[in-house]
Amino acid sequence: TSTMLVMSSPIDDALSCDRRDTTGNRVAMFRIANQLSRAARTAASASARPVVAGQEGQTTWAPSKGFAAMGFASVALLGVAGVSLTDEAEHGLHSAQYAWPHEGMFDSYDHTSIRRGHQVYQQVCAACHSLNLVAYRNLVGVAYTEDEVKLMAEEIEVVDGPDDTGEMFDRPGKLSDKLPAPYANEEGARYANNGAYPPDLSLITKARHDGQNYVFSLLLGYREAPAGINIREGLHYNPYFPGGAIAMPKMLVDGGVEYDDGTPATETQMAKDVTTFLAWAAEPEADDRKLMGAKFMFAMCLVAVQAVYYKRWLWSPIKSRRLVVNAVH
């Protein structure tokens, strides 16, 4: 919900690097719980039967055995619930499901939202997070005009070269340059952020489970730690982050960004726009792919109509012919 803007501590990095999809684990837990529940019901019904004299070598249920089985099933159910809560605490609270306007088969990105999201990234996120796979030219025709992007690129200085003398030199940015990174390397990023490494956001909505919903929920999920949970100094409580403690402070506040189109920059609006921008950055070809799929489906419909017509034309003489048998007596 992109760990956009997520700076994790070394401990949190170790957790997030080995993060797995918890949905399968929870399904397995619920299956076990269902089986144990059926076993408990079976035991309860057996315990309600009167004790009868069984045949020799035949096992009969006694009330004490039934109650023992019910107790065992109850303890097992409590254990499954405890494992589920522990899993949720370790891997983060599951994000709510939101209806993103670009997720439908025939839906496209909201390009005004992409532009606003880029403004949020520039003014809020770019101070710590890189976007190494996005070049200035990728923004042309998507969020800005070519002239706007050229002016934007010329504001940065890029080290290029070598020149004729073998020396490196600085030049103004151009459309083919990637968006500048805030730090030269990972070590510099960790040093500037007390050991926490702000991840690159180019593919963050693809790298995290339930990516867009996770990024959106994470950005809006900051709150006071509940009673009994201690957050060490330098970390902040966010239940959607694995472990619940995140090094990045709350960055989005109402009015924190001034949009070019005059849209009110509420915290929720900024989270929605920057999530849309990161979704586009991770999959900029999505609209073209959907358009190609729609064209293919239309072409296949035409082919299917022609195939049916050709089949009927080909077989109609055979199916409609009249056979006359001249029987010789």
Side-chain angles (χ1 to χ4, degrees):
T1 227
S2 177
T3 306
M4 149 66 200
L5 306 175
V6 175
M7 297 188 297
S8 55
S9 66
I11 297 177
D12 299 326
D13 281 339
L15 289 174
S16 59
C17 287
D18 194 32
R19 180 161 52 172
R20 62 184 183 278
D21 185 357
T22 61
T23 304
N25 296 335
R26 292 177 181 172
V27 171
M29 290 184 225
F30 288 133
R31 287 179 179 173
I32 296 173
N34 188 28
Q35 294 174 359
L36 293 174
S37 178
R38 282 189 288 180
R41 290 197 298 269
T42 303
S45 62
S47 65
R49 301 175 191 165
V51 180
V52 296
Q55 297 179 358
E56 183 178 358
Q58 182 178 358
T59 303
T60 58
W61 277 89
S64 60
K65 294 182 180 180
F67 288 126
M70 289 178 62
F72 172 77
S74 300
V75 172
L77 287 173
L78 291 175
V80 170
V83 170
S84 179
L85 290 175
T86 302
D87 184 78
E88 184 176 279
E90 180 182 354
H91 298 283
L93 185 65
H94 188 69
S95 306
Q97 301 300 303
Y98 300 100
W100 296 96
H102 53 266
E103 283 193 332
M105 183 180 298
F106 300 105
D107 296 328
S108 62
Y109 286 117
D110 181 356
H111 290 260
T112 58
S113 182
I114 293 177
R115 180 181 179 121
R116 293 193 300 266
H118 177 255
Q119 294 174 14
V120 176
Y121 168 77
Q122 275 191 313
Q123 300 180 37
V124 179
C125 317
C128 297
H129 294 272
S130 59
L131 210 60
N132 292 331
L133 300 183
V134 178
Y136 282 103
R137 65 169 177 259
N138 300 131
L139 299 173
V140 176
V142 176
Y144 301 94
T145 64
E146 182 175 350
D147 293 335
E148 288 177 323
V149 179
K150 285 183 177 179
L151 292 175
M152 193 183 306
E154 290 173 356
E155 294 177 356
I156 66 171
E157 293 289 333
V158 178
V159 178
D160 203 348
D163 57 13
D164 295 339
T165 63
E167 299 294 333
M168 305 298 289
F169 60 92
D170 294 336
R171 61 165 176 81
K174 53 186 179 181
L175 292 179
S176 59
D177 293 324
K178 300 294 180 64
L179 298 184
Y183 306 104
N185 47 56
E186 180 178 343
E187 288 72 16
R190 289 189 181 276
Y191 179 78
N193 293 280
N194 297 322
Y197 177 57
D200 180 78
L201 302 181
S202 302
L203 301 174
I204 201 67
T205 58
K206 296 296 183 182
R208 298 295 184 266
H209 171 65
D210 201 13
Q212 298 178 68
N213 295 320
Y214 168 75
V215 172
F216 183 78
S217 300
L218 182 76
L219 292 175
L220 301 178
Y222 289 90
R223 61 201 66 182
E224 293 294 331
I229 296 182
N230 296 321
I231 304 297
R232 64 186 177 88
E233 185 178 358
L235 299 182
H236 309 272
Y237 179 71
N238 192 318
Y240 295 100
F241 189 75
I246 183 172
M248 183 186 73
K250 179 180 176 65
M251 300 299 296
L252 299 182
V253 294
D254 292 343
V257 173
E258 185 176 352
Y259 286 136
D260 294 341
D261 58 2
T263 302
T266 62
E267 181 181 346
T268 304
Q269 182 68 50
M270 289 187 291
K272 181 256 186 185
D273 290 335
V274 77
T275 302
T276 301
F277 169 71
L278 292 176
W280 167 83
E283 204 171 9
E285 77 288 350
D287 286 351
D288 293 334
R289 190 171 65 246
K290 290 179 182 180
L291 182 59
M292 183 182 300
K295 292 179 179 178
F296 177 79
M297 293 172 62
F298 179 74
M300 291 303 296
C301 290
L302 295 180
V303 171
V305 171
Q306 294 177 4
V308 171
Y309 177 81
Y310 178 75
K311 179 259 182 187
R312 293 176 62 87
W313 173 81
L314 181 66
W315 286 90
S316 59
I318 300 176
K319 290 185 177 182
S320 61
R321 65 184 178 178
R322 180 181 180 185
L323 299 179
V324 178
V325 179
N326 187 9
V328 179
H329 298 285

